[in-house]
DNA sequence: GCGACAG
DNA sequence: ATCTTGTCGC
């Protein structure tokens, strides 16, 4: 079995080690102190022996060392021998419920009734006959982390009035996360806390319960997102997950928009390429569809405020079309990051500060 | 040339 | 994500 570890150094000098499979050999430059190196490596080897017991495709653990011989904290995945594939199975079970525009097209072809965005409200800016309700309450969720202990997090849910962009509801909870951050598997780390906050609000039948949710993280803009729409179960190891916004959206069954502050590289899309296109396409709206090498549209890049060159990345979460998602993001942007997400971010960080 | 990969 | 500095990006 081939394994590797990534070593970071935290502010207080602790070594943070991520041990994983399928990666490259550790580079020797990461251990620059020769005397420590021996101890350090032997400790790690013994941990490897304990933590990694399956053959391949296992993420074992994240271990934080205070010293080479002392472990401060370690995360392990919940099941005894979890594999990436276990996680994928969980998500596949909820993927079947995902409703996107594409699925609705498929439904209409089958002679079904649903041909529009799947919600009963409408945007204030859109004229429509009938007396349907107007989108008013927009939720936003985010997590902040303790600088001292990166397993301590504060998840926050806010609800904003769309017209005024003022916060009308706020709730948060501080938890210890069990699952490490793994690129592509963000949902497993962050979704549980956020779902709890949403469930709590729903169970109380709160009158500000959001009609739409904005999530700090991608939706279909994800290595496996494309396959949500078209495949029930694609057993390819490269595509093992999908975005946080989809994950949450399906589980709370709300229209959901994903907003990323950085691009998750997918299907040939890179930061530089997007920048290039955005510059070339001097569209007045500052929006660019993110079309990958395969021709699939994963989402959109948008320069949301005048001041910022750096775009945000919008993608579908659930029960909404990209067009509508973009429109809502634009309506909620006072600064680069849409207000619901920005407020959740600010307030969760604040709560964490005051709590410690 | 190294490494790319949301939070 | 978090730390901070400085000012851009391959």
């Amino acid at each position: 079995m081939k394994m590797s570890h990534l070593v970071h150094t935290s502010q207080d000098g602790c070594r943070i080690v991520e041990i994983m499979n399928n990666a490259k050999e550790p580079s020797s430059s990461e251990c620059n102190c020769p005397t420590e190196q021996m101890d350090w490596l032997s400790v790690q080897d013994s941990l490897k022996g304990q933590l990694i017991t399956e053959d391949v495709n296992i993420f074992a653990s994240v271990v934080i060392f205070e010293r080479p011989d002392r472990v401060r904290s370690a995360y392990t995945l919940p099941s005894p021998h979890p594999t990436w594939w276990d996680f994928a199975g969980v998500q596949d079970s909820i993927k079947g419920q995902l409703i996107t525009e594409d699925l609705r097209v498929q439904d209409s072809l089958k002679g079904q009734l649903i041909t529009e965005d799947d919600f009963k409200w409408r945007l204030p800016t859109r004229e429509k006959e009938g007396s349907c309700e107007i989108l008013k309450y927009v939720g936003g969720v985010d997590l902040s982390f303790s600088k001292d202990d990166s397993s301590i997090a504060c998840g926050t849910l806010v609800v904003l009035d769309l017209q005024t962009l003022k916060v009308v509801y706020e709730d948060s909870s501080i938890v210890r996360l069990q699952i490490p951050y793994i690129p592509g598997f963000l949902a497993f780390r962050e979704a549980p806390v956020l779902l709890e906050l949403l469930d709590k609000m729903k169970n109380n039948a709160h009158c500000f319960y959001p009609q739409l949710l904005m999530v700090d993280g991608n939706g279909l803009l994800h290595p496996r997102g494309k396959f949500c729409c078209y495949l029930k179960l694609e057993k390819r190891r490269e595509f093992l997950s999908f975005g946080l916004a989809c994950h949450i959206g399906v589980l709370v069954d709300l229209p959901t928009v994903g907003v990323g502050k950085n691009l998750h590289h997918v299907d040939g899309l890179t930061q530089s390429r997007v920048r290039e296109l955005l510059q070339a396409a001097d569209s007045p709206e500052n929006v660019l569809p993110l079309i990958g090498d395969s021709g699939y549209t994963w989402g959109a890049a948008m320069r949301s405020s005048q001041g910022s060159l750096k775009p945000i990345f919008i993608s579908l979460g659930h029960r909404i079309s990209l067009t509508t998602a973009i429109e809502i993001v634009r309506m909620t942007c006072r600064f680069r990051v849409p207000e619901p997400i920005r407020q959740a971010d600010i307030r969760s960080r604040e709560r964490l500060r005051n709590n410690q």
Side-chain angles (χ1 to χ4, degrees):
Chain A
M1 163 167 57
K2 199 138 185 174
M3 276 180 306
S4 141
H5 58 267
L6 301 178
V7 182
H8 317 284
T9 307
S10 68
Q11 212 58 30
D12 51 0
C14 293
R15 288 176 183 259
I16 300 166
V17 183
E18 301 178 27
I19 304 173
M20 62 191 78
N21 69 319
N22 264 357
K24 296 175 186 170
E25 289 295 332
S27 86
S28 54
S29 64
E30 285 164 356
C31 300
N32 40 21
C33 174
T35 54
E36 260 185 61
Q37 190 173 341
M38 291 285 290
D39 293 334
W40 156 244
L41 288 177
S42 64
V43 169
Q44 193 178 54
D45 282 339
S46 72
L47 280 162
K48 278 183 184 174
Q50 296 167 41
L51 292 172
I52 303 176
T53 54
E54 288 273 316
D55 43 11
V56 292
N57 287 328
I58 301 168
F59 184 91
S61 177
V62 172
V63 188
I64 301 177
F65 289 83
E66 274 178 73
R67 298 191 335 226
D69 59 348
R70 188 190 300 168
V71 174
R72 182 163 77 187
S73 58
Y75 309 92
T76 50
L77 296 178
S79 72
H81 304 301
T83 63
W84 297 105
W85 196 240
D86 292 329
F87 281 154
V90 173
Q91 280 194 336
D92 280 328
S93 71
I94 61 177
K95 272 187 182 177
Q97 303 167 49
L98 189 71
I99 301 174
T100 69
E101 199 171 37
D102 304 64
L103 283 184
R104 251 173 271 114
V105 169
Q106 207 173 43
D107 284 345
S108 70
L109 287 174
K110 286 181 195 161
Q112 312 245 337
L113 293 177
I114 306 168
T115 55
E116 295 182 328
D117 287 339
D118 189 22
F119 39 75
K120 54 181 189 287
W121 41 262
R122 66 176 172 89
L123 297 183
T125 49
R126 283 193 193 170
E127 292 297 331
K128 234 177 208 178
E129 81 286 352
S131 59
C132 64
E133 64 183 275
I134 292 178
L135 174 61
K136 185 173 172 68
Y137 298 118
V138 179
V141 286
D142 190 27
L143 268 78
S144 291
F145 294 86
S146 161
K147 66 185 173 82
D148 303 317
D149 183 345
S150 57
S151 71
I152 301 291
C154 174
T156 296
L157 163 67
V158 295
V159 180
L160 274 66
D161 183 310
L162 181 62
Q163 284 301 320
T164 62
L165 292 183
K166 298 293 179 200
V167 176
V168 295
Y169 178 89
E170 173 182 357
D171 189 20
S172 62
S173 95
I174 294 180
V175 291
R176 175 178 291 274
L177 298 185
Q178 302 293 329
I179 295 176
Y181 169 68
I182 306 163
F185 293 85
L186 179 66
F188 296 101
R189 177 166 164 86
E190 298 202 347
V193 202
L194 304 174
L195 290 170
E196 201 176 312
L197 291 167
L198 284 156
D199 281 345
K200 178 175 162 192
M201 192 174 184
K202 186 169 192 177
N203 292 338
N204 294 342
H206 201 287
C207 56
F208 294 153
Y209 188 73
Q211 297 155 290
L212 172 116
L213 190 65
M214 303 187 78
V215 174
D216 186 13
N218 295 317
L220 288 187
L221 176 50
H222 185 281
R224 216 186 172 208
K226 180 179 179 180
F227 297 94
C228 295
C229 303
Y230 303 111
L231 301 179
K232 291 277 190 279
L233 189 69
E234 176 71 11
K235 295 226 171 196
R236 291 172 55 181
R237 294 199 187 284
E238 309 88 280
F239 304 117
L240 291 178
S241 183
F242 68 156
L244 175 64
C246 296
H247 194 114
I248 291 182
V250 170
L251 290 179
V252 297
D253 198 27
L254 275 175
T256 306
V257 176
V259 178
K261 297 185 285 290
N262 292 289
L263 179 63
H264 198 167
H265 290 200
V266 161
D267 195 17
L269 295 165
T270 62
Q271 298 263 14
S272 55
R273 207 167 121 62
V274 170
R275 249 198 325 266
E276 206 171 88
L277 290 173
L278 210 49
Q279 209 152 30
D282 67 329
S283 67
E285 304 190 327
N286 279 324
V287 198
L288 182 80
L290 293 169
I291 303 171
D293 290 339
S294 69
Y296 180 76
T297 301
W298 299 88
M302 177 174 151
R303 280 178 183 156
S304 47
S305 68
Q306 288 288 353
S308 68
L309 269 287
K310 192 176 177 181
I312 56 174
F313 302 93
I314 306 164
S315 60
L316 307 191
H318 187 44
R319 291 175 52 183
I320 198 165
S321 66
L322 186 56
T323 314
T324 309
I326 290 171
E327 195 170 342
I328 291 171
V329 167
R330 187 177 283 120
M331 289 166 62
T332 53
C333 275
R334 299 198 332 147
F335 304 98
R336 185 171 91 101
V337 176
E339 239 4 60
I341 293 173
R342 187 170 159 268
Q343 287 302 326
D345 178 46
I346 290 172
R347 286 157 197 257
S348 64
R349 194 171 307 160
E350 214 165 54
R351 163 92 199 271
L352 208 50
R353 246 209 343 259
N354 298 337
N355 214 271
Q356 305 209 342

